[in-house]
Amino acid sequence: MGMAAADDQFHVLAVDDSLIDRKLIERLLKTSSFQVTTVDSGGKALEFLGWHGSERNMFNETSISPKNHQEVEVNLVITDYCMPGMTGYDLLKKIKESAFLRDIPVVIMSSENVPSRITRCLEEGAEEFFLKPMKLSDVNKLRPHMMRTKFKNEIEKPEKEEKEEIEEIITIGEADSDMEQLQTAQSLQQKNIDNDINNKRKSMDEVLSPDRTRPRYSDLTVMSN
Amino acid sequence: MERQAAYLRNALFDQGYLDEQFLQLEDLQDETNPHFVEEVVKLFYTDSVRLIQSIELTLKNTPRDFEKLDKIMHQFKGSSTSIGAKKVKKECTQFQEYCNVGNVEGCIREFQEVKQEHAALKRKLEHYFQLAREAR
């Protein structure tokens, strides 16, 4: 089988200036078997991610110094929106503008339900937007985002055979509308390879639906031949 | 003792001191984290002291700095929400409404309510945790 087993724990970087909320999110994430690192600001988050404000990092095959690459792999960043200094939105922007970091899925939390804020974040590349306080059921929705990125990284492996097999899987289950794509596990892969922005745009109705987040499947089913 | 603890806990919900978020906290407590709820509540009370002091100082020195008052209260309300402190949260919202309309007297008055609810809940939760501990 060409796929790497996803046995390693996913590592989440949680960013929140509130001490209580950091404790909560840490517990929520650990309960869901994620490895967690919490920081209290966007600046510290970027530091942890190994971002040093320049794009030369991505061209380094071997690091010059330990700080020029991401020391620890981070599979998802979850950040509060309202923070002093660098907001969650600012952090999201910096991550998505960095060739080095942009593939890391980012999720935003906020205590306020402001539609324009939500749209802005999704348009900037956030995977999802959650209303605080987060619940266990919300945290369960994080895994697909991490698996998708991990899967995408598998696709970029040099082995041609593996790549062909995977491309076959991707073309199965192409859906017509952007919204329908979100509903099926198979089209998940397709969506990730192509343009991200269109796929993440969602209607206000969906956003403000009772369960507060975009409807999501919870299992990633990969079809193999 | 166990029955007393359960009774007090239920009363806190029935009387509107706590909401579903407190249940979320309880769900996160287990054998690996047997004191999680108490830890979070303790953290809340320690952390909120500085926020309360900050509001007090602002009301004293620059009471018309509604933007600042609102900002601090936003943080305080957030933490209160996170532990399920229903009545405290309600008073926080009221306070913010006074900020929005620029009512200094309203803010000052309402802040007393916030502190009262904050203190009342602390007493009740401390009592509850004590009973729960003795019941173990």
Side-chain angles (χ1 to χ4, degrees):
Chain A
M1 197 161 68
M3 304 294 189
D7 282 349
D8 300 345
Q9 272 189 313
F10 285 121
H11 183 197
V12 178
L13 176 63
V15 192
D16 199 318
D17 62 313
S18 159
L19 187 53
I20 284 93
D21 288 346
R22 278 201 307 280
K23 187 168 175 82
L24 266 182
I25 194 74
E26 182 185 50
R27 187 83 205 107
L28 279 167
L29 291 166
K30 283 188 171 163
T31 299
S32 307
S33 303
F34 296 123
Q35 251 188 301
V36 191
T37 299
T38 60
V39 291
D40 64 6
S41 73
K44 295 210 181 121
L46 289 173
E47 224 179 279
F48 186 81
L49 291 167
W51 182 89
H52 292 284
S54 82
E55 289 304 283
R56 69 175 189 277
N57 294 340
M58 80 185 220
F59 298 114
N60 287 348
E61 287 306 319
T62 55
S63 353
I64 294 162
S65 86
K67 288 199 176 183
N68 281 349
H69 72 278
Q70 202 179 112
E71 292 266 13
V72 183
E73 194 189 354
V74 169
N75 303 111
L76 182 129
V77 173
I78 180 164
T79 178
D80 187 23
Y81 183 92
C82 282
M83 295 188 293
M86 192 185 293
T87 65
Y89 176 76
D90 297 329
L91 174 61
L92 165 68
K93 225 163 167 256
K94 286 226 149 55
I95 290 174
K96 293 302 166 185
E97 283 168 359
S98 158
F100 176 55
L101 298 175
R102 72 164 61 113
D103 284 339
I104 301 175
V106 181
V107 156
I108 311 276
M109 310 178 273
S110 177
S111 52
E112 292 160 321
N113 185 350
V114 182
S116 57
R117 176 183 294 184
I118 297 171
T119 313
R120 221 165 133 235
C121 288
L122 295 173
E123 285 179 353
E124 197 58 43
E127 302 294 329
E128 271 195 87
F129 191 101
F130 293 102
L131 285 180
K132 285 169 104 173
M134 292 275 290
K135 300 175 147 70
L136 265 172
S137 53
D138 293 328
V139 174
N140 288 338
K141 294 174 183 172
L142 299 178
R143 199 173 291 270
H145 299 300
M146 291 183 257
M147 289 183 72
R148 190 172 63 235
T149 310
K150 213 172 173 113
F151 184 63
K152 184 187 175 192
N153 291 340
E154 287 296 312
I155 289 166
E156 278 151 16
K157 270 190 181 161
E159 281 156 73
K160 198 164 184 259
E161 255 177 64
E162 189 183 311
K163 190 176 181 194
E164 281 167 352
E165 188 190 341
I166 291 162
E167 277 173 10
E168 228 172 277
I169 296 169
I170 289 162
T171 54
I172 295 165
E174 262 182 41
D176 286 326
S177 78
D178 284 348
M179 290 310 139
E180 271 168 51
Q181 275 184 356
L182 300 179
Q183 311 294 330
T184 63
Q186 293 146 333
S187 51
L188 174 66
Q189 293 95 324
Q190 150 95 62
K191 164 171 127 42
N192 197 49
I193 307 302
D194 294 338
N195 187 330
D196 296 322
I197 303 266
N198 287 337
N199 295 332
K200 287 185 190 113
R201 205 178 294 276
K202 57 186 182 182
S203 66
M204 278 309 131
D205 289 345
E206 243 190 334
V207 168
L208 301 173
S209 69
D211 71 10
R212 306 173 314 178
T213 59
R214 184 163 44 169
R216 281 281 190 191
Y217 48 84
S218 45
D219 291 310
L220 182 68
T221 340
V222 175
M223 295 193 357
S224 58
N225 293 314
Chain B
M1 209 40 96
E2 214 173 296
R3 215 158 5 117
Q4 266 187 291
Y7 180 80
L8 182 48
R9 180 190 165 277
N10 292 341
L12 289 172
F13 281 101
D14 291 340
Q15 291 163 17
Y17 285 96
L18 298 174
D19 62 29
E20 325 74 64
Q21 179 58 20
F22 195 82
L23 295 174
Q24 286 286 321
L25 297 186
E26 290 181 326
D27 280 347
L28 292 171
Q29 184 164 292
D30 59 19
E31 319 78 52
T32 63
N33 268 259
H35 309 289
F36 180 71
V37 184
E38 194 175 346
E39 282 166 18
V40 177
V41 170
K42 273 204 175 120
L43 196 61
F44 168 72
Y45 278 102
T46 317
D47 193 56
S48 54
V49 170
R50 62 173 179 94
L51 293 173
I52 286 177
Q53 282 174 349
S54 188
I55 294 177
E56 227 138 35
L57 212 61
T58 311
L59 282 174
K60 183 166 169 249
N61 297 336
T62 52
R64 297 204 72 83
D65 193 345
F66 297 110
E67 197 184 312
K68 182 174 179 189
L69 288 169
D70 184 74
K71 208 158 134 190
I72 307 167
M73 186 47 83
H74 174 84
Q75 288 183 57
F76 184 78
K77 183 180 165 187
S79 303
S80 305
T81 307
S82 293
I83 69 156
K86 194 171 177 181
K87 288 196 187 200
V88 178
K89 181 177 158 186
K90 186 158 159 264
E91 302 302 340
C92 291
T93 305
Q94 190 61 58
F95 181 91
Q96 285 185 299
E97 275 165 26
Y98 282 120
C99 286
N100 284 345
V101 299
N103 183 340
V104 175
E105 286 81 45
C107 282
I108 294 173
R109 223 176 30 239
E110 187 53 39
F111 188 57
Q112 298 311 311
E113 298 295 321
V114 170
K115 284 194 291 183
Q116 260 177 47
E117 289 300 340
H118 181 255
L121 179 63
K122 184 177 183 193
R123 280 194 310 271
K124 288 174 190 286
L125 285 176
E126 275 175 352
H127 187 200
Y128 165 64
F129 290 131
Q130 193 189 349
L131 287 175
R133 247 180 282 132
E134 287 169 12
R136 275 199 270 272

